[in-house]
Amino acid sequence: MEIPIIYQDEFIICVAKPNNVLVHHAHHSRNVADEKSLLQLLDEQVGGKFYPIHRLDRKTSGIILLAKETHFVSKFQDLFTANEIQKTYYGVVRGFSPESKIIDSPVKGRDANVHKEALTHLRTLEQVTLDIPVKPYDSSRYSLVELSPKTGRMHQLRVHSNKISHPLIGDTKYGDKNHDVMFEENFGWKNMFLHAGKLEFKHPFTEEELILKASFPEDWTSLFKAFSWVNPIR
């Protein structure tokens, strides 16, 4: 599996993570022996150790920043903490989502007993109605949404999509199984439709203004064609 490299300099490497790839193996998790993490795949592909600057769920595809030295990490993490990195995600959700919406709703953190403030801006880009029944309806509706998280809570976009009754397609934890089954049976698409598409920020070391983009995986390009939707990343 070749990992697409989007950008690199002496401080960072920015890559596009495929669906269903862990960024790194946690010490306590039970991982299949032959399942390689993103860090292992990059070590094989380009050589060297890399240090994740932020998180990306295993099931989410798209852009992720990695530092080339541990002492570079904090400078970039400070940008995330100060909300000085603009993150843009894309999702396919059930139903016709609102034209735009600000979702301001607490999300459980890694400690499941503690809710933390979470804010997401949503914008609907495309919609489609399919003559394919999904219980209890005789047709099915979907929307392409642009999601801009203003906080960085665990599973934030997945939880927030579900909270407004427009869960992400392919999300086995927070989604709608009936629609996931329809996508797989009719189109062969099994992955979760959440993609980290863009990062925009001022490089803390070089002061260069960067706009970094990750192309969509194969399932997405197939979906755009099937639904006659415009690819929002150009």
Side-chain angles (χ1 to χ4, degrees), residues 152-222:
R153 308 303 179 205
M154 187 175 177
H155 294 177
Q156 176 176 323
L157 300 179
R158 298 166 64 182
V159 172
H160 275 178
S161 298
N162 185 42
K163 281 199 174 179
I164 62 166
S165 298
H166 296 289
L168 289 155
I169 300 302
D171 188 341
T172 53
K173 184 168 185 177
Y174 305 101
D176 183 326
K177 186 180 178 181
N178 291 328
H179 289 268
D180 298 347
V181 168
M182 189 284 282
F183 262 52
E184 185 173 348
E185 288 183 349
N186 287 272
F187 300 102
W189 303 327
K190 301 178 184 180
N191 292 320
M192 183 171 73
F193 279 88
L194 180 62
H195 180 71
K198 277 194 292 186
L199 289 176
E200 301 174 55
F201 61 97
K202 186 176 183 179
H203 197 299
F205 292 97
T206 67
E207 299 195 343
E208 182 182 359
E209 297 284 352
L210 294 174
I211 300 175
L212 307 176
K213 302 176 183 180
S215 299
F216 287 99
E218 192 176 323
D219 275 4
W220 279 88
T221 54
S222 176

Side-chain angles (χ1 to χ4, degrees), residues 4-8 12-17 23 38 51-56 60-67 76-77 79-81 83-90 146-152 157 195-204 208-216 232-234:
I5 296 171
I6 298 163
Y7 171 88
Q8 66 173 319
I12 53 171
I13 185 168
C14 177
V15 303
K17 185 185 82 64
V23 175
L38 180 69
Y51 307 91
I53 292 165
H54 57 117
R55 291 194 302 268
L56 207 57
T60 305
S61 61
I63 199 163
I64 185 163
L65 287 180
L66 307 154
F76 289 93
Q77 284 183 337
L79 296 180
F80 282 98
T81 303
N83 202 24
E84 291 176 5
I85 290 189
Q86 186 176 327
K87 297 170 283 184
T88 305
Y89 289 73
Y90 297 94
E146 180 183 272
L147 299 160
S148 302
K150 303 304 178 185
T151 48
L157 300 179
H195 180 71
K198 277 194 292 186
L199 289 176
E200 301 174 55
F201 61 97
K202 186 176 183 179
H203 197 299
E208 182 182 359
E209 297 284 352
L210 294 174
I211 300 175
L212 307 176
K213 302 176 183 180
S215 299
F216 287 99
I233 297 178
R234 296 188 187 90

